[in-house]
Every structure is written in structure tokens, then in C-alpha cells.
Amino acid sequence: MAKPDHAPLYVQIRSALVARLASGEWKPGAMLPSDRALAIEMGVSLGTMRKTVDSLAADGVLRRHQGKGTFVTEQTPELANYHFFRLVDQHGERVLPQAGSEVVVIIPAGPETQRRLCLGVGENVILIDRFRTIAGRPAILETVEVPAALMPGLERETPLPNALYPHYQARHGISVISTDDRLSAVAADAIAAMTLDVPEGAPLLLVERVAYDLTGRAVEWRRSRFLSGGLAYAVTLG
Amino acid sequence: MAKPDHAPLYVQIRSALVARLASGEWKPGAMLPSDRALAIEMGVSLGTMRKTVDSLAADGVLRRHQGKGTFVTEQTPELANYHFFRLVDQHGERVLPQAGSEVVVIIPAGPETQRRLCLGVGENVILIDRFRTIAGRPAILETVEVPAALMPGLERETPLPNALYPHYQARHGISVISTDDRLSAVAADAIAAMTLDVPEGAPLLLVERVAYDLTGRAVEWRRSRFLSGGLAYAVTLG
DNA sequence: TAGTGGTCTAGACCACTAC
DNA sequence: TAGTGGTCTAGACCACTAT
């Protein structure tokens, strides 16, 4: 063989399971066969299969429940907010935004978007421009771009829910499991100042994010600007 | 017994190892006994000991090297920068700051500091006020507070190195292994504007951080303000 | 060659959940 | 009671490092 099986068994088994998950063999929320059944089916020992499933559970792809079984992680608004939405107030309590207004259009991907989403020239993206409110006042300005080919018809599914990742999964079979975030501070431009009701030049927290699905594909490029003052993005490093 | 051993064996073993690490039985950089030796010494199976050591390695407390052994993680400037310093430039390349100037004093902990560091009233902290430069220009304004009781004499160890965590470990036996970061955007005040050479009101990225050692104790409360424009705090969620 | 961590196996028993 | 994941054991062999 050109490529010998240098990879450990549990890594190979993991790839096989990921492929079957990506193929839709097990839908979000569905129960997988038991560790024992999978081990027999794939011809490995129980310990090896457990190591594989454990790693997928650690990555958030699967969830284990003692006495019940192993399930494909289902993006719920609560889970997506807990995992991927990191905003807290001055007391450290999680903050949840409410819907504001949105504009959805299809446009050719710009150069920056092409690079972030690894798109070819001429590919279209669906662009969502929206703001969201916290405690009744506009607090988040957000520009979201997704490859049009990945989420056909998304532009007609308005109004979009507040949490987009559960929607991606439920309607388009795209499961976001990780993100790369870049945070910086920017001054509010005229439009942002008007929408968020702050002076022009006021400091805003800018979060630029690329989201990836379980196959490692970049599926979303997002820029969010948050009103500062009492709001912060919280993260634990370790 | 009042508290039965509800905890799994590998968790109990882990606590025992953490206690021995905290006691200084194995210094940073030192090699631990082999898994087999530890398993025999503590009366558990090899598999259980491996699970314990694996979890400590996953938390960054230990590092494993196939064929060599298991070692207590040593804070190096490189490692601390890689793990806990998240600044990147517009191309996504990691940025390393250089020393600027610093002022170190001992003061009674303020109410905010008391809360963040879980200090009693009247306890002193060592306060480090400094700025750091990137590519030759002032870019970071930082206020660091540590309990005076934890790091006796720190105030006389000036000039302090650029990376403080390796210094905490080498001189005071304090190993930072995780941090809670809160990021927001603020406007530059008069002093910040002058030091960083930006207009007053310019947006700065504020990072407020509490650092914890391997026993879970809060050991540092830090507020850093970063010049925006080309610089960003990068983090992966998953 | 000897010692280390890395992988894999085949079993056992426990804790929890459903029926 | 039967089935699930969670833990623990006792061994085997492999890959890597040092000497």
C-alpha cells in the first residue's frame, strides 16, 4: 500500500465513525449503537472503541449518558449559546440576546470572505446583516456570511432564529463544532453609532469568527460588534 | 467515615499526585517515576495510573515524552506566551511584546481585588503597573496584582521579566495552569492616550484576567489594555 | 539492550436507566 | 431484569530514547 496504517487503530476507527456521522447515518439527537455493538461490528476491542467514542464525546460531537446510551449532539439554542456565545454582564452572568432586524441577500464572495471560507472565485455567499438587542436595546451588530452552496434556500428562511447554529443543523445538516475567534476593539462608525445609539467613535468589541463543522470545513464567516460597557466576552484558558 | 470514597480511584490518585506536586516533591522540569513504578507504589493497576497521569498531562500539569518519561511542566517564556498570551497580528501570526517600564508597589487590596483574589480585608497585594511595546512602540498597558503573602519579595525583584508566569514559578513556586479572561472594549483615558500615543477616546481592547494555580487558588488579577488596529486576541472554541 | 510512554486486548464488576 | 456507559484489572506488544 502507498499509505500504511501508521495511524493508531482508535484514530482510524474515529475517522470511520466521523464519515458515517457526516453521511447522515445517525441524525442529530439519535442514539448510536452501544460501545459493545460498535466494537464487535468494527472488529476492535471494547477498550479501543471506548477510547474512540470518548474522544468524539470530548470534542462535543457525541454525548454519553450512563445507563441510556450515546447520542449525536443536537445543537439546541441553549447549547449553542452556552458553548459558542460567550457574552457575560458585569456580574459574570451569561447574557442572551434577542432578535432585532435582519437583511438577507446573496452576493459574490469578496476577497476576504473567499480566503476565510476557502471559496473559489465567483462563488456566492448568503449574507445576513442584522442587529440584536439585549435588555431591549440594540447591542450587537452582526454580519454573517455562509457559502450559498452549503445552505441552499437559507435566504428564504426568514425571519432567521436568534441562534443560527441550531438552524444550520436542523435545516441544512451542518453541525458547527468549533470556531476560531479573533477579538479586537474598534470605534463605532456612523451607521453603528446610529443603530446602537452611541456617539460616533465609541469603543466596540469586534469578534471575527470562522466556524467549522465536524469534517473541519469552514462553514461560516462572521463579524460581530458588541456594545461595550457592562458586557464582556468570557473565556477560560487552560 | 463521614465521606465515603464515592470518587473513582483515578480521581483519588490524581488528588494524591497533585498534593505531592504542590508539596514540591517534584520540581518543575523534574522527571516523575514511570507509570509502572507509580502504579506499584500507589497500589493501582497500570491502566488506572495511566488514566490519572493522562488527565494531568491534558491539563498541562505534566508533559509526557515517549521513550523518555513524564515531566513536571516547566513554565518557559515560550510556553507561557504560547498558551496564555493570545495576541496575533492581522495575518494571524503570534505577536510577542517587549519590556517597557514598570512600577512595583505594595498596597492594601481594594474591594475589587479582594473579591477577584478571594482575599480577606487588610491583606496586601503587590501591584505592578507597566507598559510593554510591540515593534518598538508602546502597545500594552497592564496592571497586575498578586497577593503579597504568596510572592514575598517580588517587589524587590525588579526589573521583572516580560513573561511573569515563569518568574512566579521559578522564584515563588507558583504554577499558573489556567486563567479566566474577560474581554471588552474601552476608550483610552488621558494617561493611556499619552502612553500609547493615541487620541483620547481611542478604542482599546481590555482583558481582565484571574489566573489560577494547580490547586485552584486565584494567584493573580490582571487588567491589560491593548492598542487596537492590527492586533487581536485569538482563541479557539470547541 | 533496557526502560519509557503508546496502543490494544479480554475480561470483570459497578452505577445508572428503562421496562 | 436487561442493557447502557463508567471503572478497574492484568497482561501483551509496539515505538521511541538513551546508553
Side-chain angles (χ1 to χ4, degrees), chain B residues 36-120:
Chain B
R36 287 167 178 81
L38 282 173
I40 293 169
E41 178 191 339
M42 307 189 74
V44 300
S45 77
L46 178 57
T48 298
M49 183 51 73
R50 289 192 60 75
K51 193 165 180 176
T52 296
V53 176
D54 280 348
S55 83
L56 287 169
D59 288 352
V61 178
L62 303 177
R63 316 203 126 224
R64 320 197 73 151
H65 294 282
Q66 191 178 33
K68 293 167 78 175
T70 303
F71 301 82
V72 182
T73 301
E74 196 168 14
Q75 290 284 9
T76 62
E78 297 70 32
L79 188 64
N81 280 324
Y82 183 77
H83 229 83
F84 294 117
F85 194 80
R86 316 293 308 186
L87 226 51
V88 299
D89 64 20
Q90 53 264 71
H91 308 297
E93 300 295 324
R94 302 193 88 86
V95 162
L96 289 185
Q98 305 300 322
S101 79
E102 67 192 5
V103 176
V104 183
V105 295
I106 299 189
I107 57 168
E112 171 86 359
T113 306
Q114 277 176 29
R115 202 173 68 247
R116 298 287 183 182
L117 293 179
C118 303
L119 297 179

Side-chain angles (χ1 to χ4, degrees), chain B residues 16 26 28 45 51 131 142 211 221 228:
Chain B
W26 300 296
S45 77
K51 193 165 180 176
F131 72 84
E142 205 158 59
W221 161 234
S228 64

Side-chain angles (χ1 to χ4, degrees), chain A residues 8-10 36 45 48 51 66-68:
Chain A
L9 231 196
Y10 74 92
R36 286 167 179 81
S45 78
T48 298
K51 193 166 181 175
Q66 191 177 34
K68 294 166 79 174

Side-chain angles (χ1 to χ4, degrees), chain A:
Chain A
M1 292 188 208
K3 218 178 184 186
D5 51 352
H6 272 330
L9 231 196
Y10 74 92
V11 174
Q12 300 176 38
I13 298 298
R14 183 188 153 115
S15 301
L17 280 185
V18 166
R20 292 170 72 174
L21 283 163
S23 81
E25 178 171 345
W26 302 295
K27 302 289 186 193
M31 187 174 105
L32 261 68
S34 72
D35 290 4
R36 286 167 179 81
L38 281 174
I40 294 170
E41 178 190 339
M42 308 188 74
V44 300
S45 78
L46 178 57
T48 298
M49 182 53 71
R50 288 193 60 76
K51 193 166 181 175
T52 297
V53 175
D54 280 348
S55 83
L56 287 168
D59 287 353
V61 178
L62 303 177
R63 314 205 127 224
R64 319 197 74 151
H65 294 282
Q66 191 177 34
K68 294 166 79 174
T70 304
F71 301 80
V72 183
T73 301
E74 196 167 14
Q75 290 284 10
T76 61
E78 295 71 31
L79 188 64
N81 280 324
Y82 184 76
H83 229 82
F84 294 116
F85 194 81
R86 316 293 307 185
L87 227 51
V88 299
D89 63 20
Q90 51 262 72
H91 308 297
E93 300 294 325
R94 302 193 88 86
V95 162
L96 289 186
Q98 305 299 323
S101 79
E102 66 191 7
V103 176
V104 183
V105 294
I106 300 189
I107 58 168
E112 171 87 359
T113 306
Q114 277 175 30
R115 203 173 68 247
R116 298 288 184 184
L117 294 179
C118 303
L119 297 178
V121 289
E123 286 200 61
N124 286 338
V125 294
I126 298 165
L127 185 146
I128 305 165
D129 226 318
R130 63 178 186 168
F131 73 83
R132 294 192 278 172
T133 63
I134 290 174
R137 70 168 293 189
I140 307 175
L141 265 175
E142 205 158 59
T143 303
V144 179
E145 295 178 69
V146 297
L150 268 189
M151 316 238 191
L154 178 69
E155 72 279 8
R156 292 187 304 272
E157 292 160 7
T158 54
L160 289 162
N162 187 38
L164 292 177
Y165 296 167
H167 184 84
Y168 295 164
Q169 187 183 64
R171 298 292 291 267
H172 302 277
I174 304 285
S175 299
V176 170
I177 63 159
S178 82
T179 68
D180 280 342
D181 291 8
R182 288 184 44 166
L183 295 90
S184 57
V186 295
D189 59 23
I191 296 175
M194 186 177 307
T195 310
L196 298 178
D197 191 26
V198 291
E200 207 170 321
L204 302 177
L205 180 66
L206 169 65
V207 179
E208 302 177 276
R209 161 179 291 185
V210 180
Y212 302 91
D213 73 358
L214 83 167
T215 65
R217 187 172 45 176
V219 297
E220 183 202 65
W221 162 235
R222 175 188 294 220
R223 276 154 297 171
S224 306
R225 281 175 293 174
F226 298 89
L227 203 61
S228 64
L231 290 181
Y233 174 108
V235 64
T236 297
L237 303 180

